[in-house]
Amino acid sequence: MSQEHSELHNSLSEIITGVESNVASSSSTASSSSLDDDITPFPSPVLSATSLAGLSLSSDGELEPEVDDNKIVTEEDKAKALEMKAEANKAFGAKDFNKSIDLYTQAIALNPKDSTFWNNRAMSKAKMEEHGAAIADATKAIDLNPNYSKAYFRRGQSYLAILRPTDAVPDFRKAISTDPNNKAARDQLQLTVKLIRKIEFEKAISVGDTETASSKCLSLLASGACALDTSSAPDFPLPVIPQDPNGRYQPTKEFVQGMIESFKNGGKVPKRIAWEIILGCKSVIEKEKTLVEISIPEGVTCDIIGDTHGQFFDVHNLLSMTTHPSESHYMIFNGDLVDRGSWSVEVALTVFAYKWLYPEYVFINRGNHETNDMNKVYGFEGECKAKLGEMTFKLFADVFTSLPLAVLVSASQPPASPKSEGSKPAILSEGKRRFFVCHGGPPVSKDGVTLDEVRKIDRFGRQPGQEGIMCEMLWTDPQEPNGRGPSKRGVGLGFGPDVTRRWCELNNITAVIRSHEVRADGYAVEHDGLCITVFSCPNYCDSTGNKAAYVRMQSNGTLSYHQFDAVPHPDIKPMAYSSGFNFGGF
């Protein structure tokens, strides 16, 4: 690392890695293969901000436990490995990335000295958001072939994906030096350098800014500086929204549902109305605890919605299946409303408007994408500025820091059966089921963390940082082996079934319901029924081919799982507003 690169990395590390701090004001599908079948997909939608946990990604600390670097590779091994590679390429093309990883792994076991196998597996892992593992595999490919341009490019993309742009720059430069015709690397280098300069500039101008965006917007509304302008989408007029005696707008069911239908037809919301929705949501959530606690009354259902990531047309379809929130139907949106999908503004305004309208029936948890660093790279900042201006983005960013981190959902009725989702009897609290709903997972970097510690988290005005309870609740992922391990995504940590059980038993939790990860079926029941993942983005980023799902809870704690597929949307690509990734040339 050069001195210039080192100094730049150090000066930007606080912003790029999201060090926990008070914040006053927030400031193509897979391409065709080359001759060696080295598939280069568009950069996988992915993650935030810390240093990698190292390259030891398996439970025993090895890069991959099945690899024998000293293996004597026979001609038969080479032939079989190429057969495995061909099958893996087909699986990748069919968007079955778990299968392609398994098949590339088999090819590597037969012939660990072929760099293409490692780089192809890196790209499959990137599609599964395992960017730490992708970096490790790309590094192995580079070790085997120091002139492998695509491996440098792949590693640079994964560094950028976990918001380490100053580490990505040398890899993009190396990709260009080893292949001067690599236009994708050249374009990505330019974008990444611009991103670094932008971060540096915004850091410099934010010094001394102590007034929050919410306060600024309230002052502007009071002064009449943000008047209602309905000329932005005259073909899709919004329903009338009433005003109180002070001139502030108030939500109605007719307005919110009319706004959603307008969004579906291409309509836009005026900036004044957007501010009222965001501030109206803030007025509700800032009164809630970091751990919101609710009980589901008899006759009421509660739907838990996973990541929606700006896929508005799928959210519209989802609402048609779940029905809209009401006194008999609660909804929990479990984070990651924004980024990646190119209708994040519409999704966020929809959910915020429902929270404003139905504060006792709608609940919103913060996800790892309701953070400044993610929004800067993954599209929400650019989209929001394009549609509603910079101050609206700052207002959203400010309000994101007020979102609660978890909901504790208790059944009001005794369970119909002592059985759990797994093999052992359900863990009950006072004879009833209850579920801990948060975006990433419970705080499990050490044993003994209680719900009281979650309740005491001071979330207001804070970014999640690199460690601590708040970071863990936004970033952790379940793993199959017992114990704890580094995260294959390159951020956070993995927790095993034994860790989950100890935490649930300590806190009398029937199961953790979390999101944060793609699941092929839209949901997965893991860790012997104690960890349930729900993901509500079908065909994630138009490329993954997964189903989506939501979880419905009855008043006695019974859970059911409901799948759905993607619906058509206008021809705008995912992350169309992203400032960090270049989609050309893939």
Side-chain angles (χ1 to χ4, degrees):
M1 181 184 296
S2 68
Q3 181 178 355
E4 178 184 359
H5 176 225
S6 179
E7 289 174 354
L8 180 57
H9 184 281
N10 292 337
S11 68
L12 298 180
S13 62
E14 180 175 329
I15 293 178
I16 294 168
T17 61
V19 173
E20 184 171 322
S21 60
N22 285 309
V23 177
S25 177
S26 307
S27 355
S28 104
T29 60
S31 73
S32 60
S33 304
S34 65
L35 292 177
D36 64 356
D37 290 320
D38 190 351
I39 305 163
T40 304
F42 81 65
S44 173
V46 244
L47 297 163
S48 168
T50 61
S51 61
L52 293 177
L55 300 183
S56 298
L57 299 171
S58 65
S59 58
D60 61 1
E62 296 297 324
L63 187 62
E64 292 290 341
E66 78 280 4
V67 174
D68 178 6
D69 286 329
N70 297 317
K71 174 182 170 62
I72 298 174
V73 181
T74 66
E75 291 302 317
E76 183 181 2
D77 289 334
K78 291 180 181 179
K80 289 183 178 178
L82 288 173
E83 291 177 8
M84 290 293 102
K85 174 187 171 184
E87 290 300 311
N89 290 350
K90 290 179 183 178
F92 189 98
K95 301 179 182 180
D96 190 345
F97 303 117
N98 281 316
K99 183 177 180 180
S100 69
I101 290 171
D102 289 342
L103 289 166
Y104 287 132
T105 298
Q106 292 179 47
I108 288 169
L110 288 163
N111 182 8
K113 298 176 183 179
D114 189 317
S115 59
T116 304
F117 301 164
W118 292 92
N119 195 52
N120 283 12
R121 189 172 73 174
M123 290 184 283
S124 292
K125 288 180 175 179
K127 293 295 288 183
M128 295 302 295
E129 303 191 346
E130 297 178 1
H131 279 273
I135 289 168
D137 278 357
T139 299
K140 182 68 174 180
I142 290 167
D143 289 343
L144 291 167
N145 180 2
N147 294 315
Y148 197 170
S149 178
K150 290 185 177 181
Y152 288 109
F153 182 73
R154 172 68 269 157
R155 189 170 69 177
Q157 286 281 10
S158 285
Y159 275 132
L160 185 56
I162 56 173
L163 298 194
R164 293 176 60 178
T166 54
D167 288 322
V169 165
D171 276 341
F172 294 141
R173 286 177 175 159
K174 188 68 174 178
I176 295 166
S177 70
T178 54
D179 178 10
N181 295 320
N182 191 333
K183 183 179 183 299
R186 193 176 301 278
D187 292 345
Q188 188 63 79
L189 174 62
Q190 292 176 355
L191 281 175
T192 306
V193 170
K194 286 180 181 178
L195 174 65
I196 292 171
R197 289 172 180 167
K198 178 182 178 184
I199 293 170
E200 189 174 40
F201 174 74
E202 291 182 357
K203 180 182 178 182
I205 65 173
S206 67
V207 174
D209 190 2
T210 58
E211 185 180 9
T212 67
S214 297
S215 296
K216 289 179 182 178
C217 289
L218 285 168
S219 297
L220 290 169
L221 291 179
S223 69
C226 186
L228 180 62
D229 178 7
T230 59
S231 64
S232 59
D235 295 333
F236 305 102
L238 291 171
V240 174
I241 180 170
Q243 292 176 281
D244 66 16
N246 297 317
R248 296 294 302 279
Y249 291 93
Q250 300 298 311
T252 64
K253 176 181 177 182
E254 292 73 21
F255 169 77
V256 174
Q257 295 192 359
M259 179 187 72
I260 294 169
E261 289 303 313
S262 176
F263 285 158
K264 183 185 178 185
N265 294 318
K268 299 179 181 179
V269 67
K271 182 188 298 183
R272 171 62 187 269
I273 301 301
W275 286 16
E276 295 279 12
I277 292 170
I278 302 165
L279 290 167
C281 178
K282 181 177 187 291
S283 69
V284 175
I285 62 175
E286 66 185 2
K287 298 173 186 175
E288 295 180 329
K289 303 293 185 182
T290 296
L291 175 60
V292 175
E293 301 183 43
I294 62 174
S295 177
I296 308 303
E298 188 173 7
V300 173
T301 56
C302 177
D303 287 343
I304 297 97
I305 312 300
D307 302 38
T308 51
H309 277 304
Q311 296 186 192
F312 172 77
F313 294 87
D314 294 312
V315 170
H316 185 277
N317 182 44
L318 169 65
L319 290 172
S320 72
M321 292 183 288
T322 63
T323 71
H324 297 271
S326 68
E327 62 181 3
S328 61
H329 180 60
Y330 295 0
M331 300 188 79
I332 300 172
F333 292 88
N334 198 25
D336 281 12
L337 305 176
V338 301
D339 280 339
R340 302 185 180 131
S342 294
W343 293 271
S344 292
V345 166
E346 289 78 3
V347 171
L349 288 175
T350 295
V351 176
F352 276 28
Y354 269 133
K355 181 62 177 176
W356 186 27
L357 178 62
Y358 299 122
E360 297 179 356
Y361 311 142
V362 175
F363 305 91
I364 312 170
N365 285 334
R366 188 177 184 180
N368 63 296
H369 276 266
E370 278 72 52
T371 52
N372 290 347
D373 53 1
M374 302 299 282
N375 298 158
K376 195 172 299 297
V377 172
Y378 285 98
F380 181 60
E381 178 178 347
E383 178 190 343
C384 199
K385 288 180 177 179
K387 293 178 178 178
L388 292 166
E390 183 173 5
M391 182 54 73
T392 307
F393 170 70
K394 290 182 176 181
L395 178 58
F396 263 123
D398 186 18
V399 176
F400 285 164
T401 72
S402 297
L403 289 171
L405 301 183
V407 180
L408 186 64
V409 192
S410 298
S412 64
Q413 308 299 310
S417 165
K419 295 181 64 177
S420 70
E421 302 294 289
S423 65
K424 296 184 178 182
I427 300 170
L428 304 179
S429 175
E430 298 181 350
K432 299 182 180 68
R433 298 173 188 255
R434 66 175 184 174
F435 301 90
F436 183 81
V437 182
C438 71
H439 183 69
V444 290
S445 62
K446 61 180 181 180
D447 286 339
V449 179
T450 65
L451 294 179
D452 280 342
E453 292 179 71
V454 175
R455 294 183 180 103
K456 293 175 183 177
I457 297 172
D458 179 11
R459 72 189 191 272
F460 293 101
R462 293 186 177 274
Q463 299 300 323
Q466 301 179 48
E467 60 184 12
I469 293 177
M470 182 175 175
C471 174
E472 291 171 31
M473 290 173 64
L474 299 185
W475 282 104
T476 54
D477 293 302
Q479 64 182 31
E480 291 184 12
N482 281 334
R484 300 173 178 86
S487 170
K488 290 188 175 183
R489 59 170 85 224
V491 181
L493 59 93
F495 60 95
D498 58 330
V499 177
T500 305
R501 179 162 292 279
R502 288 196 298 271
W503 191 83
C504 288
E505 290 176 344
L506 173 68
N507 291 288
N508 294 325
I509 298 296
T510 306
V512 173
I513 301 177
R514 43 89 64 181
S515 303
H516 193 40
E517 288 184 287
V518 182
R519 291 291 185 264
D521 294 325
Y523 75 96
V525 180
E526 301 163 291
H527 290 190
D528 197 24
L530 294 178
C531 182
I532 298 165
T533 297
V534 57
F535 193 79
S536 302
C537 288
N539 192 25
Y540 187 35
C541 276
D542 292 352
S543 69
T544 309
N546 61 291
K547 288 184 177 292
Y550 63 93
V551 179
R552 174 159 291 181
M553 175 181 167
Q554 306 293 332
S555 60
N556 65 359
T558 299
L559 302 181
S560 56
Y561 306 93
H562 304 264
Q563 297 173 301
F564 59 101
D565 292 311
V567 296
H569 62 71
D571 188 19
I572 300 176
K573 293 181 179 181
M575 290 174 64
Y577 300 90
S578 168
S579 65
F581 285 122
N582 168 40
F583 292 99
F586 293 98

